[in-house]
Amino acid sequence: MSRPNPRFVPRAWIAVLLVLPTGLAAQSDTAATRRARQLDTVTTVERTLAERPLLQGGAIAIAGAERVRSAPVRILPDVLRESPGIQVQQTNSGHGTVILRGLTGNQVLLMIDGIRLNTATVRDGPNQYLALVDPERIARIEVIRGPGSALYGSDAMGGVVNIVTKNPGRRSEVEASLTYATADRGMRAHLGGSLGGARARARGGLTISAADDLRAGGGIGEQPHTGYSSYAGDLVVEAPLRGCHRLTMTGQGTMLRDVSRFDRLVNFRLDPAMASTLQGRDTEFVFDPQTHLLGVARVDGTSCEGWMPASGIAAGAALQREGRLQRGIGTDAMGVAAPAPDREYQRDDTRTVFATAHAEPRVPHGVHLRVGLDVYDDLVSSHGYVETVAGGVRTPTTRSAGGEMIPAGRFPDGARMTTAGAYANGARLLGSRVRLLGGVRYDRSRVTLRAGDDFGGDVDAEHSAVSGQAGAAAYFDGGFVLSAHYGQGFRAPNIYDLSTVSVVPGGVVLPSADLEPERSSTLELSVRKSGPRVSGGTTVYATRITGFVDRMPGAYQGDTLYDGMRVFRAANIGEAWIRGVELHADASLNRRLTMRAQAFHTYGSQTGPGGEGREPVGRIPPLTGAIAVRRAMGRMGSGSWLEFAVRGAGRQERLSERDRRDSRIQEGGTPEYTIASVRGAVYFGSATRVSMGLENLFDRGYREHGSGIDAPGRHVWLRLDLVR
């Protein structure tokens, strides 16, 4: 029995989107829309990732905090689910990641307030780290689609996601929110507020979330072991310094508990409607705990007099902790499948210390220049044990390194990666019609670790890279902008590449000590239009990746098996080509009616070892799109609204060999789907807002391509916001 296929084929309405004049539609609130449209002007010279359009020529999208209140947001990646050119993938209910231009994992750079969230242990596939940020904390999320290494360094090949968190308000207030969804009986409670003052301001908040098993549509029903809980808190203190400078101290943290990897507990390749009775390759696979802590001190100067109008320095530390408990399938005395007699626990702590600095010196009128540098040092503490379930005896896991036994979880204890980079990026206006930009960055990294005598011995790997960008934009009457941008990206091999021993779909991946950096070149062309009633844009791009890294069948001491599992190793297999088109639009149809829409299509291919043959790049999303129509309700300016939204994706049957090994993807590919939703919001005075929606109206059973869990079926969500 196969997965129920939706009968409403999305191709027709996606085709309509493909001919729409398109524009920035990543957010629905009026203030965020105005801010997004400012990105097309040449006068915006601000200091966040998306608000420096003179320095970044690639496609940019913004999702504001309003999105958290206006749509079903369970974890932070949900905020980006209907944004241009972005696919959200979930391996389980409490984790999520984004795919930008066919790339994800350590090929997409994640940042919090301009500080790297990526560490040296980020893996090459979908990961959970974006879900380790509380959605109640965000002011907005800025996304660069396409390479950003000329500004931000390693990992920024598919794009950059920068989470901008809330700052203290100018006045004292208390805010509270309560969110509930019937799909998983999930609840999120948030309490926070700001304390204003003439000399200093502060803001803080606490958030607690809990979810039960998630119910999927199409008759699939509840998916067992998909509940989880999370706890988050943050505190920000701002104080003015002498002159134009400001000191900001930030502390934030999130902990996820009891998040099971659902796709390892069931067999998706069989009937998903029987998921509760099907057995995967494990009887237990729990992430616990998942923790991210971050502390930053900043000194920023803006609108300063003299030769340095703007500058900033930041320093701080972060801790990222990942624990996982895993128990496989064995056989009993009668040869019948049964839980394995042993379970394995691994815990990896990555401690990061960092410092960054930037300056924008005074330059001739019409020129904008930014220079900067940053240093990050990642140190891994890793350990694990194997426990005999019957007797409770625990044996520490170790690796032999130079005759010495060292602790090891997924990585050898004491592994270290240090990276440093320096950059200069600038732009110049030629008259009032043309903008030119260019920039260059130099990065150097060093990884030192003891992979183990059986896995390549000691590693001392150094890599360097120079990345550049260049672009031009021409401005025409009527709000039209024609632009071209060339950008380079790179990714240095990290601790995960060089030392991990980890179970993956189809087998086990072992260390690959001889990897070289991946490098990419992207050319993109775009046409945009800005206007009071319609804003739109279309971007086409082509990316070539050299030294493309993928998992290939390998050997361990001459054997293709390791502990009975097929051996894979990461390798620079050759080249990959990814190209696509992205369209997005928003329009004011009349005083009360607005519309937003987006669609994107991605196509990727790669060579095999030695440049032989071609096959699809893994995890490439299918043709995807969304459209929403919103009507203002009540008195004009009251803020109340009602919205009807449709989104969907075509079938994805172009699968790589890695996709075909991945049990998260059905045999033959991921079916197409279309779902519809109704949402709305009502204000009661100036301090109370109620938002609610009915999602997946027709209870379709579907799964985002590459996800390890089926999406929610028909359900109601409700949110209450209070501000005093």
Side-chain angles (χ1 to χ4, degrees), residues 143-437:
V143 181
I144 293 176
R145 304 191 303 275
S149 291
L151 275 168
Y152 305 106
S154 182
D155 300 5
M157 295 178 61
V160 181
V161 178
N162 184 41
I163 303 158
V164 180
T165 59
K166 295 177 181 177
N167 286 325
R170 295 186 177 275
R171 62 186 182 90
S172 299
E173 65 179 19
V174 175
E175 61 183 35
S177 68
L178 183 65
T179 305
Y180 178 77
T182 61
D184 56 4
R185 297 178 289 278
M187 184 174 293
R188 181 171 69 244
H190 171 74
L191 178 64
S194 291
L195 185 63
R199 296 298 301 167
R201 295 180 292 183
R203 184 196 176 280
L206 294 171
T207 303
I208 299 175
S209 302
D212 207 339
D213 292 342
L214 180 65
R215 189 193 70 82
I220 297 172
E222 284 196 0
Q223 302 170 91
H225 312 295
T226 54
Y228 66 94
S229 59
S230 70
Y231 311 89
D234 69 296
L235 177 64
V236 184
V237 178
E238 285 186 354
L241 301 177
R242 286 187 176 183
C244 58
H245 291 84
R246 180 182 71 239
L247 171 66
T248 304
M249 305 284 287
T250 303
Q252 53 190 263
T254 302
M255 176 183 289
L256 287 171
R257 303 299 304 266
D258 299 318
V259 183
S260 291
R261 183 162 171 177
F262 179 63
D263 67 301
R264 298 295 291 272
L265 306 179
V266 301
N267 190 340
F268 274 136
R269 294 291 175 92
L270 300 177
D271 180 7
M274 298 175 59
S276 62
T277 61
L278 298 176
Q279 180 60 60
R281 65 171 301 131
D282 294 302
T283 58
E284 292 180 81
F285 199 123
V286 182
F287 292 95
D288 192 9
Q290 299 277 281
T291 303
H292 181 261
L293 305 174
L294 174 65
V296 187
R298 301 174 182 272
V299 175
D300 292 294
T302 58
S303 303
C304 299
E305 300 294 332
W307 68 278
M308 191 69 70
S311 62
I313 60 173
L319 174 66
Q320 192 163 275
R321 173 169 294 165
E322 178 176 320
R324 55 173 64 194
L325 181 67
Q326 185 175 357
R327 186 181 184 186
I329 296 291
T331 56
D332 60 18
M334 303 297 294
V336 178
D342 299 330
R343 62 162 62 100
E344 183 176 8
Y345 179 76
Q346 299 171 321
R347 199 184 88 178
D348 307 301
D349 295 354
T350 304
R351 183 275 296 152
T352 304
V353 294
F354 56 85
T356 71
H358 74 270
E360 297 178 11
R362 192 171 299 280
V363 289
H365 179 71
V367 178
H368 184 200
L369 176 66
R370 182 184 178 100
V371 297
L373 56 86
D374 49 62
V375 178
Y376 290 82
D377 182 71
D378 291 342
L379 179 64
V380 178
S381 173
S382 187
H383 72 273
Y385 59 80
V386 176
E387 179 183 29
T388 302
V389 177
V393 178
R394 296 179 177 180
T395 304
T397 54
T398 59
R399 298 188 193 180
S400 174
E404 177 186 359
M405 303 306 292
I406 60 173
R410 301 183 78 202
F411 314 102
D413 190 54
R416 187 171 210 147
M417 182 173 184
T418 303
T419 62
Y423 63 89
N425 281 259
R428 179 169 184 173
L429 304 179
L430 301 180
S432 61
R433 297 285 188 177
V434 177
R435 179 195 75 187
L436 302 177
L437 68 85

Side-chain angles (χ1 to χ4, degrees), residues 100-179:
L100 299 179
R101 296 190 172 176
L103 301 177
T104 190
N106 53 24
Q107 295 172 318
V108 171
L109 177 60
L110 308 179
M111 309 178 81
I112 302 179
D113 295 323
I115 302 299
R116 294 174 66 95
L117 180 59
N118 286 35
T119 68
T121 57
V122 173
R123 52 186 173 271
D124 60 349
N127 57 61
Q128 70 272 27
Y129 305 113
L130 195 57
L132 289 174
V133 181
D134 178 14
E136 301 292 344
R137 189 185 303 162
I138 71 168
R140 64 186 179 277
I141 303 176
E142 307 162 335
V143 181
I144 293 176
R145 304 191 303 275
S149 291
L151 275 168
Y152 305 106
S154 182
D155 300 5
M157 295 178 61
V160 181
V161 178
N162 184 41
I163 303 158
V164 180
T165 59
K166 295 177 181 177
N167 286 325
R170 295 186 177 275
R171 62 186 182 90
S172 299
E173 65 179 19
V174 175
E175 61 183 35
S177 68
L178 183 65
T179 305

Side-chain angles (χ1 to χ4, degrees), residues 35 38-46 50-54 368:
R35 179 177 292 276
Q38 289 177 353
L39 299 177
D40 291 330
T41 71
V42 296
T43 57
T44 305
V45 185
E46 298 178 284
E51 294 172 324
R52 285 188 267 115
L54 294 181
H368 184 200

Side-chain angles (χ1 to χ4, degrees), residues 34 274 380 490 492 530 680:
R34 287 198 299 267
M274 298 175 59
V380 178
F490 91 99
S530 296

